[in-house]
């Protein structure tokens, strides 16, 4: 065996180990960054959705704080998978539809909220599944997510607690 082969093999081994180690570190960084971005987005979405829903049920103008929601979206754009970004964009579309209900008036019809609420529920579940898959492709597909938009029967019951029929604004005159 030539005397130069042992040092050459050592150098090649060190370089290969460095490349493999760097790739592993990059994957770890990406997974940690994605996890943090997804968590931040879900928390910010939850706050926006809760405020919009409570304002609708309470028949008042919403007081949404948009900064954290927008910041979470921007952070996510750096690291999210394509599927997670598409699902987050779908959530944003329904959030926008929800806010439009309040433009220049106070919503008074529960049926206006039903398709938006259903869309938010489905978009939230789609986002959670996309985020889970981007973090670990072996994650099971969820058919129901925790948190996010509540079940529709909860919205209906909060809308008219003893004040008549859901979807009608009570007459207290």
């Amino acid at each position: 065996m030539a005397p130069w082969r042992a040092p050459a093999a050592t150098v090649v081994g060190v370089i290969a180990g460095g490349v493999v180690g760097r790739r592993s570190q990059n994957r770890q960084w990406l997974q940690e960054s994605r996890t943090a971005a997804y968590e931040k987005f879900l928390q910010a979405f939850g706050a926006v959705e809760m405020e919009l829903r409570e304002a609708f049920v309470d028949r008042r103008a919403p007081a949404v704080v948009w900064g954290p929601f927008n910041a979470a979206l921007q952070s996510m754009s750096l690291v999210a998978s394509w599927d997670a970004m598409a699902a987050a964009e779908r959530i944003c579309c329904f959030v926008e539809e929800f806010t439009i209900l309040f433009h220049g008036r106070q919503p008074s019809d529960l049926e206006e909220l039903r398709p938006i609420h259903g869309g938010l529920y489905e978009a939230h579940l789609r986002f959670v599944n996309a985020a889970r898959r981007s973090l670990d492709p072996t994650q099971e597909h969820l058919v129901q997510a925790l948190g996010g938009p509540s079940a529709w029967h909860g919205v209906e019951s909060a809308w008219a607690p003893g004040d008549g029929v859901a979807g009608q604004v009570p007459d207290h005159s």
Side-chain angles (χ1 to χ4, degrees):
M1 182 166 174
W4 58 270
R5 286 189 180 174
T10 301
V11 169
V12 169
V14 168
I15 291 172
V19 169
V20 169
R22 181 169 303 273
R23 283 186 185 160
S24 177
Q25 285 177 339
N26 287 344
R27 278 192 301 270
Q28 181 68 28
W29 173 86
L30 181 59
Q31 185 162 4
E32 289 172 2
S33 297
R34 278 182 171 171
T35 300
Y38 296 158
E39 287 175 356
K40 185 177 177 183
F41 174 72
L42 285 171
Q43 290 168 354
F45 163 64
V48 166
E49 189 273 333
M50 286 292 298
E51 174 55 24
L52 289 170
R53 185 167 21 107
E54 288 174 5
F56 188 92
V57 169
D58 294 344
R59 297 167 177 91
R60 63 173 171 79
V64 175
V65 179
W66 291 106
F69 185 75
N70 287 326
L73 284 170
Q74 291 179 33
S75 293
M76 219 172 39
S77 69
L78 295 173
V79 294
S81 71
W82 187 92
D83 288 342
M85 285 298 294
E89 186 167 355
R90 189 78 177 131
I91 286 173
C92 292
C93 290
F94 283 108
V95 165
E96 184 174 6
E97 284 186 38
F98 203 164
T99 60
I100 289 171
L101 287 181
F102 293 96
H103 286 185
R105 66 186 179 91
Q106 180 56 46
S108 61
D109 184 0
L110 190 60
E111 290 307 311
E112 287 181 291
L113 181 58
R114 185 183 296 268
I116 294 169
H117 181 275
L120 274 174
Y121 180 84
E122 292 299 322
H124 173 254
L125 181 60
R126 183 174 162 199
F127 175 80
V128 168
N129 278 315
R132 287 166 54 92
R133 280 190 308 275
S134 81
L135 296 172
D136 179 0
T138 66
Q139 287 274 359
E140 294 178 35
H141 180 82
L142 298 178
V143 294
Q144 178 179 332
L146 297 174
S150 65
W152 181 248
H153 64 81
V155 175
E156 285 181 314
S157 66
W159 180 250
D163 281 326
V165 180
Q168 294 179 351
V169 176
D171 183 9
H172 297 291
S173 49

